[in-house]
Amino acid sequence: MIAFVLRRLALLVPVFLVVSVVVFLIIHLVPGDPIDNMMRVGSTPAQRAQIAAKYGLDRSLAEQYVVWMGRLLTGDLGTAIIQRRPVADLIAQNLPFSLALGGLALAFSTLVGVAAGVLAASFHRSRIDDAVTGLILLGSTVPGFWLGLLLILVFAVSLGWVPVSGARGWTSLILPVIAAGAGGIALVARVTRVAMIEASRQDFVLLLHAKGLPPWTIQLRHVLRHALLPVVTVLGLRIGWILGGAVAIEYVFARPGLGSLLIRALNQRDYPLVQGCLLMLAMAVILGTLLGDIVQAAMDPRQREARPS
């Protein structure tokens, strides 16, 4: 198991380098730069050149990347050009809000998705299966931001049950969690359903039925356990993707977090801040995948013996 983890960690090094290059180039290739937001009316080209030299924007992209990577390896994400605060401080200030939203949305989508998948698989080829499958397909096609706006209109504006926006108390998390986790429910339920149907066709399930075990005991204690391997893999990916998906949800509900911080930085073309936020979201996906691989290997020893491609 230790050798498996070390192999996976070694693979993160080239992945991190590729991700850092992509993150760096994305913002620099977008038209516009932060100097446009800092220049006053009537500023001269000499003043613009002075500001560019102050923040190192007069250098080539290769030189800027080397400087940024050198600081990054020492834990320095740089200083936000517009807000003039360390990027690490801004991320640390907003990250807890994104983690709270993402963690609750992941738990919500996991519990409901697994329950829906178990229900559909237990009543395979029945009306219940068709109904659950239909809801799964419907949920997978609804955009999160559109669902968020609909939830605000119904439960916040019309009924007044929860706050419309902000992060005031736990009630302000209810609608964002539902909006962020709805898409994950469809994915988890679909994977759980397919995996349980395949596991239920194994010979050991027939033997358990022959021994007279109750059907629900077989489904929940034996079939579900074998079906959780692909579900764990999906959940590992969801750890990172749900933080990325929360960007739009945070903006719709006017919540603080990495999403709101990233959108504001994009509007201002604040290179260091955008790079820091994108790098955090990318690392969440990478670490989520790594965690999923480790948990899957712990559940199935055969995964530890497979060589990485």
Side-chain angles (χ1 to χ4, degrees), residues 62-99:
E63 292 177 317
Q64 292 183 51
Y65 173 77
V66 171
V67 172
W68 177 64
M69 178 56 65
R71 293 176 177 173
L72 186 62
L73 293 177
T74 63
D76 182 11
L77 295 175
T79 302
I81 297 176
I82 304 300
Q83 301 190 40
R84 300 180 181 178
R85 291 180 55 191
V87 173
D89 292 348
L90 292 171
I91 291 177
Q93 179 182 346
N94 289 271
L95 184 59
F97 295 98
S98 295
L99 290 178

PDB file of all heavy atoms in Angstrom, residues 62-99:
ATOM      1  N   ALA A  62       7.836  33.645 -20.613  1.00  0.00           N
ATOM      2  CA  ALA A  62       8.710  32.612 -20.038  1.00  0.00           C
ATOM      3  C   ALA A  62       9.364  33.111 -18.749  1.00  0.00           C
ATOM      4  O   ALA A  62       9.421  32.388 -17.743  1.00  0.00           O
ATOM      5  CB  ALA A  62       9.781  32.209 -21.052  1.00  0.00           C
ATOM      6  N   GLU A  63       9.837  34.362 -18.759  1.00  0.00           N
ATOM      7  CA  GLU A  63      10.461  34.913 -17.554  1.00  0.00           C
ATOM      8  C   GLU A  63       9.451  35.077 -16.427  1.00  0.00           C
ATOM      9  O   GLU A  63       9.743  34.778 -15.259  1.00  0.00           O
ATOM     10  CB  GLU A  63      11.104  36.259 -17.871  1.00  0.00           C
ATOM     11  CG  GLU A  63      12.317  36.176 -18.785  1.00  0.00           C
ATOM     12  CD  GLU A  63      12.867  37.550 -19.125  1.00  0.00           C
ATOM     13  OE1 GLU A  63      12.053  38.458 -19.415  1.00  0.00           O
ATOM     14  OE2 GLU A  63      14.091  37.715 -19.095  1.00  0.00           O
ATOM     15  N   GLN A  64       8.241  35.534 -16.773  1.00  0.00           N
ATOM     16  CA  GLN A  64       7.211  35.699 -15.755  1.00  0.00           C
ATOM     17  C   GLN A  64       6.830  34.349 -15.143  1.00  0.00           C
ATOM     18  O   GLN A  64       6.599  34.247 -13.933  1.00  0.00           O
ATOM     19  CB  GLN A  64       5.968  36.368 -16.363  1.00  0.00           C
ATOM     20  CG  GLN A  64       6.168  37.800 -16.781  1.00  0.00           C
ATOM     21  CD  GLN A  64       4.890  38.422 -17.292  1.00  0.00           C
ATOM     22  OE1 GLN A  64       3.840  38.363 -16.642  1.00  0.00           O
ATOM     23  NE2 GLN A  64       4.946  39.035 -18.469  1.00  0.00           N
ATOM     24  N   TYR A  65       6.781  33.299 -15.973  1.00  0.00           N
ATOM     25  CA  TYR A  65       6.430  31.976 -15.452  1.00  0.00           C
ATOM     26  C   TYR A  65       7.506  31.452 -14.509  1.00  0.00           C
ATOM     27  O   TYR A  65       7.198  30.886 -13.463  1.00  0.00           O
ATOM     28  CB  TYR A  65       6.218  30.992 -16.607  1.00  0.00           C
ATOM     29  CG  TYR A  65       6.008  29.567 -16.134  1.00  0.00           C
ATOM     30  CD1 TYR A  65       4.789  29.168 -15.601  1.00  0.00           C
ATOM     31  CD2 TYR A  65       7.052  28.637 -16.198  1.00  0.00           C
ATOM     32  CE1 TYR A  65       4.601  27.871 -15.152  1.00  0.00           C
ATOM     33  CE2 TYR A  65       6.866  27.339 -15.749  1.00  0.00           C
ATOM     34  CZ  TYR A  65       5.640  26.964 -15.231  1.00  0.00           C
ATOM     35  OH  TYR A  65       5.458  25.688 -14.768  1.00  0.00           O
ATOM     36  N   VAL A  66       8.782  31.645 -14.885  1.00  0.00           N
ATOM     37  CA  VAL A  66       9.875  31.167 -14.042  1.00  0.00           C
ATOM     38  C   VAL A  66       9.852  31.870 -12.690  1.00  0.00           C
ATOM     39  O   VAL A  66      10.013  31.232 -11.633  1.00  0.00           O
ATOM     40  CB  VAL A  66      11.232  31.374 -14.754  1.00  0.00           C
ATOM     41  CG1 VAL A  66      12.383  31.085 -13.795  1.00  0.00           C
ATOM     42  CG2 VAL A  66      11.334  30.480 -15.974  1.00  0.00           C
ATOM     43  N   VAL A  67       9.617  33.183 -12.690  1.00  0.00           N
ATOM     44  CA  VAL A  67       9.555  33.932 -11.439  1.00  0.00           C
ATOM     45  C   VAL A  67       8.374  33.462 -10.597  1.00  0.00           C
ATOM     46  O   VAL A  67       8.497  33.242  -9.380  1.00  0.00           O
ATOM     47  CB  VAL A  67       9.453  35.442 -11.729  1.00  0.00           C
ATOM     48  CG1 VAL A  67       9.180  36.221 -10.437  1.00  0.00           C
ATOM     49  CG2 VAL A  67      10.727  35.948 -12.385  1.00  0.00           C
ATOM     50  N   TRP A  68       7.220  33.288 -11.255  1.00  0.00           N
ATOM     51  CA  TRP A  68       6.016  32.853 -10.528  1.00  0.00           C
ATOM     52  C   TRP A  68       6.196  31.450  -9.958  1.00  0.00           C
ATOM     53  O   TRP A  68       5.849  31.191  -8.805  1.00  0.00           O
ATOM     54  CB  TRP A  68       4.811  32.896 -11.459  1.00  0.00           C
ATOM     55  CG  TRP A  68       3.539  32.397 -10.839  1.00  0.00           C
ATOM     56  CD1 TRP A  68       2.867  32.948  -9.783  1.00  0.00           C
ATOM     57  CD2 TRP A  68       2.780  31.250 -11.229  1.00  0.00           C
ATOM     58  NE1 TRP A  68       1.738  32.222  -9.500  1.00  0.00           N
ATOM     59  CE2 TRP A  68       1.662  31.172 -10.369  1.00  0.00           C
ATOM     60  CE3 TRP A  68       2.930  30.280 -12.225  1.00  0.00           C
ATOM     61  CZ2 TRP A  68       0.712  30.168 -10.466  1.00  0.00           C
ATOM     62  CZ3 TRP A  68       1.976  29.286 -12.335  1.00  0.00           C
ATOM     63  CH2 TRP A  68       0.890  29.230 -11.461  1.00  0.00           C
ATOM     64  N   MET A  69       6.777  30.551 -10.742  1.00  0.00           N
ATOM     65  CA  MET A  69       6.987  29.185 -10.271  1.00  0.00           C
ATOM     66  C   MET A  69       7.999  29.147  -9.134  1.00  0.00           C
ATOM     67  O   MET A  69       7.845  28.379  -8.173  1.00  0.00           O
ATOM     68  CB  MET A  69       7.445  28.306 -11.430  1.00  0.00           C
ATOM     69  CG  MET A  69       7.737  26.860 -11.041  1.00  0.00           C
ATOM     70  SD  MET A  69       6.337  26.035 -10.230  1.00  0.00           S
ATOM     71  CE  MET A  69       5.154  26.012 -11.569  1.00  0.00           C
ATOM     72  N   GLY A  70       9.042  29.983  -9.233  1.00  0.00           N
ATOM     73  CA  GLY A  70      10.015  30.025  -8.153  1.00  0.00           C
ATOM     74  C   GLY A  70       9.390  30.455  -6.837  1.00  0.00           C
ATOM     75  O   GLY A  70       9.669  29.885  -5.778  1.00  0.00           O
ATOM     76  N   ARG A  71       8.520  31.446  -6.890  1.00  0.00           N
ATOM     77  CA  ARG A  71       7.824  31.881  -5.683  1.00  0.00           C
ATOM     78  C   ARG A  71       6.838  30.820  -5.215  1.00  0.00           C
ATOM     79  O   ARG A  71       6.676  30.605  -4.009  1.00  0.00           O
ATOM     80  CB  ARG A  71       7.090  33.200  -5.945  1.00  0.00           C
ATOM     81  CG  ARG A  71       8.007  34.393  -6.197  1.00  0.00           C
ATOM     82  CD  ARG A  71       7.184  35.623  -6.547  1.00  0.00           C
ATOM     83  NE  ARG A  71       8.044  36.791  -6.732  1.00  0.00           N
ATOM     84  CZ  ARG A  71       7.596  37.968  -7.172  1.00  0.00           C
ATOM     85  NH1 ARG A  71       6.304  38.107  -7.470  1.00  0.00           N
ATOM     86  NH2 ARG A  71       8.425  38.982  -7.319  1.00  0.00           N
ATOM     87  N   LEU A  72       6.195  30.175  -6.165  1.00  0.00           N
ATOM     88  CA  LEU A  72       5.185  29.174  -5.818  1.00  0.00           C
ATOM     89  C   LEU A  72       5.802  28.005  -5.062  1.00  0.00           C
ATOM     90  O   LEU A  72       5.215  27.481  -4.114  1.00  0.00           O
ATOM     91  CB  LEU A  72       4.499  28.680  -7.093  1.00  0.00           C
ATOM     92  CG  LEU A  72       3.317  27.723  -6.925  1.00  0.00           C
ATOM     93  CD1 LEU A  72       2.203  28.410  -6.167  1.00  0.00           C
ATOM     94  CD2 LEU A  72       2.817  27.256  -8.288  1.00  0.00           C
ATOM     95  N   LEU A  73       6.983  27.593  -5.459  1.00  0.00           N
ATOM     96  CA  LEU A  73       7.648  26.474  -4.800  1.00  0.00           C
ATOM     97  C   LEU A  73       8.054  26.801  -3.367  1.00  0.00           C
ATOM     98  O   LEU A  73       8.294  25.895  -2.566  1.00  0.00           O
ATOM     99  CB  LEU A  73       8.875  26.047  -5.610  1.00  0.00           C
ATOM    100  CG  LEU A  73       8.583  25.438  -6.994  1.00  0.00           C
ATOM    101  CD1 LEU A  73       9.880  25.124  -7.719  1.00  0.00           C
ATOM    102  CD2 LEU A  73       7.710  24.197  -6.871  1.00  0.00           C
ATOM    103  N   THR A  74       8.137  28.078  -3.059  1.00  0.00           N
ATOM    104  CA  THR A  74       8.435  28.498  -1.686  1.00  0.00           C
ATOM    105  C   THR A  74       7.169  28.821  -0.900  1.00  0.00           C
ATOM    106  O   THR A  74       7.255  29.291   0.238  1.00  0.00           O
ATOM    107  CB  THR A  74       9.359  29.731  -1.697  1.00  0.00           C
ATOM    108  OG1 THR A  74       8.678  30.833  -2.338  1.00  0.00           O
ATOM    109  CG2 THR A  74      10.647  29.434  -2.428  1.00  0.00           C
ATOM    110  N   GLY A  75       5.999  28.578  -1.515  1.00  0.00           N
ATOM    111  CA  GLY A  75       4.736  28.840  -0.836  1.00  0.00           C
ATOM    112  C   GLY A  75       4.226  30.249  -0.991  1.00  0.00           C
ATOM    113  O   GLY A  75       3.238  30.626  -0.340  1.00  0.00           O
ATOM    114  N   ASP A  76       4.844  31.046  -1.862  1.00  0.00           N
ATOM    115  CA  ASP A  76       4.436  32.435  -2.080  1.00  0.00           C
ATOM    116  C   ASP A  76       3.596  32.513  -3.349  1.00  0.00           C
ATOM    117  O   ASP A  76       4.111  32.307  -4.455  1.00  0.00           O
ATOM    118  CB  ASP A  76       5.666  33.330  -2.190  1.00  0.00           C
ATOM    119  CG  ASP A  76       5.301  34.804  -2.363  1.00  0.00           C
ATOM    120  OD1 ASP A  76       4.106  35.140  -2.194  1.00  0.00           O
ATOM    121  OD2 ASP A  76       6.212  35.600  -2.664  1.00  0.00           O
ATOM    122  N   LEU A  77       2.317  32.811  -3.215  1.00  0.00           N
ATOM    123  CA  LEU A  77       1.430  32.934  -4.370  1.00  0.00           C
ATOM    124  C   LEU A  77       1.435  34.329  -4.960  1.00  0.00           C
ATOM    125  O   LEU A  77       0.702  34.599  -5.913  1.00  0.00           O
ATOM    126  CB  LEU A  77      -0.003  32.552  -3.970  1.00  0.00           C
ATOM    127  CG  LEU A  77      -0.234  31.095  -3.564  1.00  0.00           C
ATOM    128  CD1 LEU A  77      -1.667  30.895  -3.090  1.00  0.00           C
ATOM    129  CD2 LEU A  77       0.079  30.163  -4.717  1.00  0.00           C
ATOM    130  N   GLY A  78       2.242  35.211  -4.415  1.00  0.00           N
ATOM    131  CA  GLY A  78       2.316  36.566  -4.940  1.00  0.00           C
ATOM    132  C   GLY A  78       1.360  37.515  -4.237  1.00  0.00           C
ATOM    133  O   GLY A  78       0.698  37.167  -3.254  1.00  0.00           O
ATOM    134  N   THR A  79       1.289  38.723  -4.764  1.00  0.00           N
ATOM    135  CA  THR A  79       0.425  39.771  -4.212  1.00  0.00           C
ATOM    136  C   THR A  79      -0.577  40.194  -5.261  1.00  0.00           C
ATOM    137  O   THR A  79      -0.221  40.422  -6.427  1.00  0.00           O
ATOM    138  CB  THR A  79       1.262  40.986  -3.774  1.00  0.00           C
ATOM    139  OG1 THR A  79       2.226  40.567  -2.806  1.00  0.00           O
ATOM    140  CG2 THR A  79       0.379  42.061  -3.154  1.00  0.00           C
ATOM    141  N   ALA A  80      -1.848  40.303  -4.870  1.00  0.00           N
ATOM    142  CA  ALA A  80      -2.888  40.751  -5.796  1.00  0.00           C
ATOM    143  C   ALA A  80      -2.595  42.172  -6.248  1.00  0.00           C
ATOM    144  O   ALA A  80      -2.336  43.060  -5.424  1.00  0.00           O
ATOM    145  CB  ALA A  80      -4.256  40.676  -5.120  1.00  0.00           C
ATOM    146  N   ILE A  81      -2.641  42.396  -7.554  1.00  0.00           N
ATOM    147  CA  ILE A  81      -2.267  43.694  -8.102  1.00  0.00           C
ATOM    148  C   ILE A  81      -3.301  44.756  -7.764  1.00  0.00           C
ATOM    149  O   ILE A  81      -2.956  45.883  -7.386  1.00  0.00           O
ATOM    150  CB  ILE A  81      -2.081  43.582  -9.630  1.00  0.00           C
ATOM    151  CG1 ILE A  81      -0.917  42.626  -9.946  1.00  0.00           C
ATOM    152  CG2 ILE A  81      -1.826  44.944 -10.253  1.00  0.00           C
ATOM    153  CD1 ILE A  81      -0.720  42.380 -11.426  1.00  0.00           C
ATOM    154  N   ILE A  82      -4.579  44.426  -7.893  1.00  0.00           N
ATOM    155  CA  ILE A  82      -5.629  45.418  -7.675  1.00  0.00           C
ATOM    156  C   ILE A  82      -5.902  45.603  -6.184  1.00  0.00           C
ATOM    157  O   ILE A  82      -5.958  46.737  -5.685  1.00  0.00           O
ATOM    158  CB  ILE A  82      -6.914  45.011  -8.415  1.00  0.00           C
ATOM    159  CG1 ILE A  82      -6.628  44.794  -9.904  1.00  0.00           C
ATOM    160  CG2 ILE A  82      -7.992  46.063  -8.224  1.00  0.00           C
ATOM    161  CD1 ILE A  82      -6.088  46.013 -10.614  1.00  0.00           C
ATOM    162  N   GLN A  83      -6.097  44.506  -5.452  1.00  0.00           N
ATOM    163  CA  GLN A  83      -6.409  44.610  -4.027  1.00  0.00           C
ATOM    164  C   GLN A  83      -5.168  44.834  -3.159  1.00  0.00           C
ATOM    165  O   GLN A  83      -5.290  45.189  -1.984  1.00  0.00           O
ATOM    166  CB  GLN A  83      -7.150  43.345  -3.558  1.00  0.00           C
ATOM    167  CG  GLN A  83      -8.446  43.093  -4.296  1.00  0.00           C
ATOM    168  CD  GLN A  83      -9.266  42.000  -3.656  1.00  0.00           C
ATOM    169  OE1 GLN A  83      -9.352  41.911  -2.429  1.00  0.00           O
ATOM    170  NE2 GLN A  83      -9.892  41.161  -4.475  1.00  0.00           N
ATOM    171  N   ARG A  84      -3.981  44.590  -3.723  1.00  0.00           N
ATOM    172  CA  ARG A  84      -2.714  44.855  -3.035  1.00  0.00           C
ATOM    173  C   ARG A  84      -2.624  44.130  -1.690  1.00  0.00           C
ATOM    174  O   ARG A  84      -2.207  44.694  -0.685  1.00  0.00           O
ATOM    175  CB  ARG A  84      -2.523  46.367  -2.846  1.00  0.00           C
ATOM    176  CG  ARG A  84      -2.483  47.137  -4.163  1.00  0.00           C
ATOM    177  CD  ARG A  84      -2.286  48.603  -3.955  1.00  0.00           C
ATOM    178  NE  ARG A  84      -2.280  49.316  -5.235  1.00  0.00           N
ATOM    179  CZ  ARG A  84      -2.152  50.645  -5.360  1.00  0.00           C
ATOM    180  NH1 ARG A  84      -2.004  51.378  -4.272  1.00  0.00           N
ATOM    181  NH2 ARG A  84      -2.160  51.198  -6.561  1.00  0.00           N
ATOM    182  N   ARG A  85      -3.037  42.876  -1.706  1.00  0.00           N
ATOM    183  CA  ARG A  85      -2.934  42.010  -0.539  1.00  0.00           C
ATOM    184  C   ARG A  85      -2.346  40.677  -0.988  1.00  0.00           C
ATOM    185  O   ARG A  85      -2.492  40.290  -2.161  1.00  0.00           O
ATOM    186  CB  ARG A  85      -4.306  41.773   0.104  1.00  0.00           C
ATOM    187  CG  ARG A  85      -4.925  42.984   0.774  1.00  0.00           C
ATOM    188  CD  ARG A  85      -6.267  42.628   1.380  1.00  0.00           C
ATOM    189  NE  ARG A  85      -6.156  41.506   2.306  1.00  0.00           N
ATOM    190  CZ  ARG A  85      -7.207  40.852   2.827  1.00  0.00           C
ATOM    191  NH1 ARG A  85      -8.423  41.221   2.497  1.00  0.00           N
ATOM    192  NH2 ARG A  85      -7.017  39.851   3.662  1.00  0.00           N
ATOM    193  N   PRO A  86      -1.669  39.963  -0.091  1.00  0.00           N
ATOM    194  CA  PRO A  86      -1.137  38.651  -0.481  1.00  0.00           C
ATOM    195  C   PRO A  86      -2.246  37.720  -0.970  1.00  0.00           C
ATOM    196  O   PRO A  86      -3.316  37.637  -0.357  1.00  0.00           O
ATOM    197  CB  PRO A  86      -0.500  38.135   0.810  1.00  0.00           C
ATOM    198  CG  PRO A  86      -0.176  39.362   1.591  1.00  0.00           C
ATOM    199  CD  PRO A  86      -1.270  40.342   1.275  1.00  0.00           C
ATOM    200  N   VAL A  87      -1.977  37.039  -2.076  1.00  0.00           N
ATOM    201  CA  VAL A  87      -2.968  36.119  -2.637  1.00  0.00           C
ATOM    202  C   VAL A  87      -3.299  35.016  -1.646  1.00  0.00           C
ATOM    203  O   VAL A  87      -4.467  34.609  -1.520  1.00  0.00           O
ATOM    204  CB  VAL A  87      -2.459  35.538  -3.969  1.00  0.00           C
ATOM    205  CG1 VAL A  87      -3.400  34.456  -4.492  1.00  0.00           C
ATOM    206  CG2 VAL A  87      -2.295  36.636  -5.000  1.00  0.00           C
ATOM    207  N   ALA A  88      -2.306  34.534  -0.927  1.00  0.00           N
ATOM    208  CA  ALA A  88      -2.541  33.467   0.049  1.00  0.00           C
ATOM    209  C   ALA A  88      -3.528  33.912   1.129  1.00  0.00           C
ATOM    210  O   ALA A  88      -4.373  33.129   1.567  1.00  0.00           O
ATOM    211  CB  ALA A  88      -1.220  33.030   0.677  1.00  0.00           C
ATOM    212  N   ASP A  89      -3.434  35.171   1.559  1.00  0.00           N
ATOM    213  CA  ASP A  89      -4.361  35.674   2.573  1.00  0.00           C
ATOM    214  C   ASP A  89      -5.783  35.758   2.031  1.00  0.00           C
ATOM    215  O   ASP A  89      -6.753  35.422   2.735  1.00  0.00           O
ATOM    216  CB  ASP A  89      -3.911  37.046   3.070  1.00  0.00           C
ATOM    217  CG  ASP A  89      -2.614  36.982   3.867  1.00  0.00           C
ATOM    218  OD1 ASP A  89      -2.201  35.857   4.229  1.00  0.00           O
ATOM    219  OD2 ASP A  89      -2.017  38.042   4.116  1.00  0.00           O
ATOM    220  N   LEU A  90      -5.936  36.224   0.797  1.00  0.00           N
ATOM    221  CA  LEU A  90      -7.266  36.324   0.195  1.00  0.00           C
ATOM    222  C   LEU A  90      -7.887  34.938   0.016  1.00  0.00           C
ATOM    223  O   LEU A  90      -9.092  34.752   0.260  1.00  0.00           O
ATOM    224  CB  LEU A  90      -7.182  37.042  -1.157  1.00  0.00           C
ATOM    225  CG  LEU A  90      -6.825  38.532  -1.103  1.00  0.00           C
ATOM    226  CD1 LEU A  90      -6.549  39.063  -2.506  1.00  0.00           C
ATOM    227  CD2 LEU A  90      -7.947  39.320  -0.447  1.00  0.00           C
ATOM    228  N   ILE A  91      -7.080  33.963  -0.415  1.00  0.00           N
ATOM    229  CA  ILE A  91      -7.591  32.603  -0.587  1.00  0.00           C
ATOM    230  C   ILE A  91      -7.950  31.996   0.769  1.00  0.00           C
ATOM    231  O   ILE A  91      -9.003  31.367   0.920  1.00  0.00           O
ATOM    232  CB  ILE A  91      -6.562  31.737  -1.327  1.00  0.00           C
ATOM    233  CG1 ILE A  91      -6.435  32.205  -2.777  1.00  0.00           C
ATOM    234  CG2 ILE A  91      -6.967  30.258  -1.277  1.00  0.00           C
ATOM    235  CD1 ILE A  91      -5.393  31.447  -3.573  1.00  0.00           C
ATOM    236  N   ALA A  92      -7.097  32.193   1.767  1.00  0.00           N
ATOM    237  CA  ALA A  92      -7.371  31.655   3.104  1.00  0.00           C
ATOM    238  C   ALA A  92      -8.625  32.270   3.702  1.00  0.00           C
ATOM    239  O   ALA A  92      -9.354  31.615   4.457  1.00  0.00           O
ATOM    240  CB  ALA A  92      -6.175  31.908   4.018  1.00  0.00           C
ATOM    241  N   GLN A  93      -8.909  33.522   3.365  1.00  0.00           N
ATOM    242  CA  GLN A  93     -10.098  34.191   3.880  1.00  0.00           C
ATOM    243  C   GLN A  93     -11.373  33.654   3.256  1.00  0.00           C
ATOM    244  O   GLN A  93     -12.421  33.594   3.902  1.00  0.00           O
ATOM    245  CB  GLN A  93      -9.983  35.697   3.622  1.00  0.00           C
ATOM    246  CG  GLN A  93     -11.175  36.519   4.095  1.00  0.00           C
ATOM    247  CD  GLN A  93     -11.021  37.989   3.774  1.00  0.00           C
ATOM    248  OE1 GLN A  93      -9.935  38.462   3.435  1.00  0.00           O
ATOM    249  NE2 GLN A  93     -12.105  38.728   3.870  1.00  0.00           N
ATOM    250  N   ASN A  94     -11.310  33.261   1.980  1.00  0.00           N
ATOM    251  CA  ASN A  94     -12.508  32.822   1.255  1.00  0.00           C
ATOM    252  C   ASN A  94     -12.645  31.310   1.165  1.00  0.00           C
ATOM    253  O   ASN A  94     -13.752  30.814   0.922  1.00  0.00           O
ATOM    254  CB  ASN A  94     -12.498  33.400  -0.177  1.00  0.00           C
ATOM    255  CG  ASN A  94     -12.740  34.892  -0.211  1.00  0.00           C
ATOM    256  OD1 ASN A  94     -13.875  35.343  -0.286  1.00  0.00           O
ATOM    257  ND2 ASN A  94     -11.667  35.670  -0.153  1.00  0.00           N
ATOM    258  N   LEU A  95     -11.549  30.571   1.348  1.00  0.00           N
ATOM    259  CA  LEU A  95     -11.583  29.121   1.185  1.00  0.00           C
ATOM    260  C   LEU A  95     -12.546  28.424   2.147  1.00  0.00           C
ATOM    261  O   LEU A  95     -13.244  27.481   1.726  1.00  0.00           O
ATOM    262  CB  LEU A  95     -10.174  28.551   1.336  1.00  0.00           C
ATOM    263  CG  LEU A  95     -10.017  27.051   1.094  1.00  0.00           C
ATOM    264  CD1 LEU A  95     -10.462  26.685  -0.314  1.00  0.00           C
ATOM    265  CD2 LEU A  95      -8.566  26.614   1.331  1.00  0.00           C
ATOM    266  N   PRO A  96     -12.646  28.806   3.435  1.00  0.00           N
ATOM    267  CA  PRO A  96     -13.585  28.111   4.326  1.00  0.00           C
ATOM    268  C   PRO A  96     -15.029  28.134   3.839  1.00  0.00           C
ATOM    269  O   PRO A  96     -15.759  27.150   4.017  1.00  0.00           O
ATOM    270  CB  PRO A  96     -13.432  28.862   5.652  1.00  0.00           C
ATOM    271  CG  PRO A  96     -12.048  29.424   5.608  1.00  0.00           C
ATOM    272  CD  PRO A  96     -11.821  29.779   4.184  1.00  0.00           C
ATOM    273  N   PHE A  97     -15.454  29.214   3.201  1.00  0.00           N
ATOM    274  CA  PHE A  97     -16.821  29.287   2.688  1.00  0.00           C
ATOM    275  C   PHE A  97     -17.026  28.289   1.544  1.00  0.00           C
ATOM    276  O   PHE A  97     -18.062  27.619   1.469  1.00  0.00           O
ATOM    277  CB  PHE A  97     -17.125  30.711   2.207  1.00  0.00           C
ATOM    278  CG  PHE A  97     -17.126  31.738   3.292  1.00  0.00           C
ATOM    279  CD1 PHE A  97     -16.007  32.518   3.519  1.00  0.00           C
ATOM    280  CD2 PHE A  97     -18.246  31.918   4.094  1.00  0.00           C
ATOM    281  CE1 PHE A  97     -16.001  33.472   4.526  1.00  0.00           C
ATOM    282  CE2 PHE A  97     -18.248  32.877   5.106  1.00  0.00           C
ATOM    283  CZ  PHE A  97     -17.123  33.652   5.324  1.00  0.00           C
ATOM    284  N   SER A  98     -16.023  28.181   0.671  1.00  0.00           N
ATOM    285  CA  SER A  98     -16.124  27.218  -0.432  1.00  0.00           C
ATOM    286  C   SER A  98     -16.053  25.781   0.065  1.00  0.00           C
ATOM    287  O   SER A  98     -16.759  24.903  -0.448  1.00  0.00           O
ATOM    288  CB  SER A  98     -14.995  27.468  -1.449  1.00  0.00           C
ATOM    289  OG  SER A  98     -15.138  28.719  -2.065  1.00  0.00           O
ATOM    290  N   LEU A  99     -15.218  25.528   1.069  1.00  0.00           N
ATOM    291  CA  LEU A  99     -15.121  24.178   1.618  1.00  0.00           C
ATOM    292  C   LEU A  99     -16.413  23.766   2.302  1.00  0.00           C
ATOM    293  O   LEU A  99     -16.848  22.610   2.188  1.00  0.00           O
ATOM    294  CB  LEU A  99     -13.951  24.097   2.605  1.00  0.00           C
ATOM    295  CG  LEU A  99     -12.546  24.181   2.002  1.00  0.00           C
ATOM    296  CD1 LEU A  99     -11.496  24.146   3.107  1.00  0.00           C
ATOM    297  CD2 LEU A  99     -12.311  23.063   0.999  1.00  0.00           C
TER     298      LEU A  99
END
